[in-house]
Amino acid sequence: QVQLVESGGGLVQAGGSLRLSCAASGLAFSMFGMGWHRQAPGKEREFVATINWSGGIISYADSVKGRFTVSRDNAKKTVYLQMNSLKPEDTAVYYCAARRGTDDWRYWGQGTQVTVSS
């Protein structure tokens, strides 16, 4: 019943920007923390950013600090990842996830491909 549907991925040149969206359904969105992770082929999935239920506690991986911004709109049941100053090493499949508190991530989206060309 729970679905996390991502959109906004695509191909962009280095230095460009993309905004990813993750629309949730089937869950009490405002009660869940949300996160973004990414995975490149042959590499482990890595943490990118998290935002708690209220949007008041936000964390970023060191590799994206100052370039990426995570936000959420509880009325729209949507979490966003604004990605600026993109680098080729940002190329990966980006996944949206949901959890309660600091539990393990309970729900995952299908992933959306982000490709940054040089």
Side-chain angles (χ1 to χ4, degrees):
Q1 289 183 307
V2 173
Q3 282 194 312
L4 303 177
V5 181
E6 297 164 303
S7 61
L11 175 65
V12 66
Q13 291 184 331
S17 298
L18 285 173
R19 189 180 76 157
L20 305 183
S21 298
C22 174
S25 62
L27 80 168
F29 181 79
S30 64
M31 298 181 69
F32 283 79
M34 303 296 297
W36 290 95
H37 304 76
R38 66 187 182 185
Q39 186 171 26
K43 297 183 178 179
E44 294 185 348
R45 184 173 297 184
E46 65 175 347
F47 155 78
V48 175
T50 59
I51 182 167
N52 80 330
W53 66 272
S54 69
I57 303 175
I58 294 173
S59 297
Y60 297 101
D62 288 342
S63 60
V64 306
K65 284 182 179 178
R67 300 188 298 120
F68 290 11
T69 303
V70 64
S71 61
R72 66 189 295 161
D73 186 335
N74 286 348
K76 296 181 178 179
K77 297 184 178 181
T78 302
V79 62
Y80 305 95
L81 185 68
Q82 178 67 45
M83 304 184 294
N84 298 327
S85 301
L86 283 162
K87 304 174 181 179
E89 50 262 45
D90 295 319
T91 295
V93 177
Y94 284 71
Y95 296 91
C96 174
R99 67 181 180 182
R100 297 295 301 273
T102 56
D103 289 347
D104 291 342
W105 297 101
R106 187 180 301 178
Y107 305 111
W108 293 84
Q110 81 287 352
T112 185
Q113 177 70 48
V114 172
T115 302
V116 184
S117 65
S118 59

